[in-house]
Amino acid sequence: QVQLAESGGGLVQAGGSLRLSCAASGRTFASYAMGWFRQAPGKGREFVVAISRTGGSTDYADSVKGRFTISRDNAKNTVYLQMNTLIPEDTAVYYCAADTNGNSYFTFRRRLPDGYEYWGQGTQVTVSS
């Protein structure tokens, strides 16, 4: 069983920045592919970004490319999401997710919720205009 805990959400003005963290349990974090998804009220869960086991490869949704940066520290079992130039449309609950065998990253499933086995509880990000 893998537990994921997000933190760092909050209220920010448009143009501002936030840094989300996701701490994972388990001794084999370095073998997990990780992803961030978000869900706005009344909408489905939307892919934001994914990162491979080593961090050497990343995949961003077009809507966040150039503004968001994902990174990971395998020694700390943590993945980060640096969000800059935030816009009101970024308002959502942000979830981190883990694919414990890392293989979904190398297929289209890295952009789908069912490509991940474990999910955090989510952290709210609200961007005011």
Side-chain angles (χ1 to χ4, degrees), residues 2-85:
V2 174
Q3 293 183 325
L4 304 173
E6 301 98 335
S7 61
L11 173 64
V12 64
Q13 288 188 329
S17 298
L18 283 174
R19 189 194 196 203
L20 306 183
S21 299
C22 173
S25 65
R27 292 181 291 178
T28 57
F29 178 75
S31 67
Y32 306 166
M34 299 295 294
W36 285 96
F37 288 74
R38 64 188 182 186
Q39 188 163 16
K43 296 188 175 181
R45 197 160 293 192
E46 176 191 21
F47 169 76
V48 177
V49 60
I51 188 167
S52 63
R53 300 180 189 105
T54 64
S57 181
T58 56
D59 178 31
Y60 291 88
D62 287 346
S63 58
V64 306
K65 198 173 294 183
R67 300 187 299 120
F68 290 12
T69 303
I70 191 172
S71 62
R72 66 188 295 162
D73 185 338
N74 286 347
K76 295 183 178 180
N77 281 19
T78 302
V79 63
Y80 304 98
L81 183 63
Q82 178 67 43
M83 305 186 295
N84 297 329
T85 320

Side-chain angles (χ1 to χ4, degrees), residues 60-121:
Y60 291 88
D62 287 346
S63 58
V64 306
K65 198 173 294 183
R67 300 187 299 120
F68 290 12
T69 303
I70 191 172
S71 62
R72 66 188 295 162
D73 185 338
N74 286 347
K76 295 183 178 180
N77 281 19
T78 302
V79 63
Y80 304 98
L81 183 63
Q82 178 67 43
M83 305 186 295
N84 297 329
T85 320
L86 285 159
I87 60 178
E89 291 76 14
D90 294 321
T91 295
V93 177
Y94 282 71
Y95 299 90
C96 70
D99 162 31
T100 58
N101 65 26
N103 290 333
S104 288
Y105 184 83
F106 300 102
T107 74
F108 68 93
R109 294 179 72 233
R110 68 179 175 267
R111 290 188 166 218
L112 301 178
D114 68 2
Y116 300 83
E117 304 150 78
Y118 297 99
W119 293 80
Q121 81 287 352

